[in-house]
Amino acid sequence: MKKTSKQQISNKQQLSHVRIIAGEYRRRNVGFIDANGLRPTPDRVRETVFNWLADSLVNARVLDCCAGSGVLGFESLSRGASLVHMIEPNRNQFLELHNSRQMLQIHPSKLNIHQGYAENVLPTLEKTAFDMVFIDPPYGLNLWQTMLHLLIDNQLINNNTLIYIEANQAHHEILGNDYARLFEIKYKKMGQIFVGIYQLDLKSSLT
């Protein structure tokens, strides 16, 4: 029993929290585990990004390709999104996302949490374009181009979709030739983080 108790304490100590900034769940905290590559978007960055989005999230259908703490999705729901899909491969963090959903008393019809890698989950989603998509993968995996291609190929984004990209490098560097497929709405370097809001460029081919 002592071993189990210590393990429970250890797990609890490994759980950190990040707060929701505004909206219905303002100042509530959601939890995330200490896992490799899991780093919630800092408060200052999120505040800037959600100020950019303003009322665009009201009644929006939102997809968070790499949920992690889930704070981007929970913040979207807090600000009026009608439906959020989250994708998270880590089993323990997947369970923690469910804990956060229950703690915030979010009805399951408003939040779908998928366990698995985005590369595997995205092709299984209904082929209907989302209003808002967050692309914020672990930096070391270099998945930005892969995810953009999957979103386009599986008809999950269109020319009206707002696309958030977060990276540790300038976006034209991480996206290469695919950068030309995007129309920049907002872009900013904040410390060591590069963030931007885009839409698919109407002048660009989607294939």
Side-chain angles (χ1 to χ4, degrees):
M1 289 296 294
K2 288 184 179 180
K3 183 175 181 181
T4 303
S5 178
K6 287 180 180 178
Q7 184 63 45
Q8 289 173 343
I9 292 171
S10 174
N11 288 341
K12 186 176 181 180
Q13 289 174 335
Q14 292 175 10
L15 189 66
S16 300
H17 294 86
V18 59
R19 71 184 179 92
I20 296 169
I21 296 171
E24 181 180 355
Y25 310 122
R26 181 181 181 184
R27 297 179 181 171
R28 303 287 294 276
N29 290 328
V30 295
F32 64 96
I33 63 168
D34 180 14
N36 186 36
L38 201 162
R39 28 135 216 93
T41 301
D43 283 9
R44 183 171 64 95
V45 175
R46 277 189 293 118
E47 186 168 9
T48 296
V49 170
F50 281 95
N51 284 341
W52 287 346
L53 294 171
D55 296 329
S56 299
L57 291 168
V58 177
N59 297 322
R61 296 177 67 257
V62 177
L63 171 62
D64 189 351
C65 296
C66 301
S69 68
V71 71
L72 294 176
F74 289 123
E75 189 84 48
S76 298
L77 286 168
S78 184
R79 296 174 186 243
S82 63
L83 173 66
V84 171
H85 283 260
M86 296 181 183
I87 302 174
E88 174 53 44
N90 185 292
R91 174 66 177 172
N92 289 332
Q93 183 55 35
F94 168 78
L95 295 174
E96 188 56 38
L97 290 171
H98 279 282
N99 290 339
S100 294
R101 182 193 66 76
Q102 292 173 0
M103 179 271 295
L104 294 171
Q105 298 182 328
I106 297 171
H107 195 276
S109 65
K110 297 187 67 175
L111 176 59
N112 290 331
I113 308 172
H114 308 267
Q115 186 189 359
Y117 291 99
E119 304 94 302
N120 297 326
V121 175
L122 290 175
T124 71
L125 299 181
E126 181 183 357
K127 288 179 169 44
T128 302
F130 286 87
D131 301 302
M132 177 77 218
V133 172
F134 292 100
I135 305 177
D136 177 22
Y139 296 157
L141 297 182
N142 194 28
L143 289 172
W144 296 279
Q145 286 181 289
T146 298
M147 289 191 180
L148 184 60
H149 291 175
L150 284 168
L151 290 165
I152 294 172
D153 293 345
N154 289 284
Q155 302 171 37
L156 299 174
I157 58 176
N158 60 23
N159 294 323
N160 295 315
T161 304
L162 294 175
I163 305 165
Y164 170 75
I165 297 177
E166 179 179 324
N168 60 342
Q169 301 176 58
H171 292 176
H172 69 274
E173 296 177 355
I174 62 166
L175 292 172
N177 293 336
D178 288 321
Y179 186 73
R181 306 171 83 171
L182 300 177
F183 172 76
E184 178 187 308
I185 298 174
K186 293 285 187 178
Y187 182 77
K188 189 172 185 178
K189 181 178 185 291
M190 303 184 70
Q192 300 302 310
I193 299 175
F194 297 78
V195 295
I197 303 287
Y198 301 89
Q199 287 180 314
L200 289 174
D201 194 335
L202 287 168
K203 300 175 183 177
S204 203
S205 172
L206 301 188
T207 58

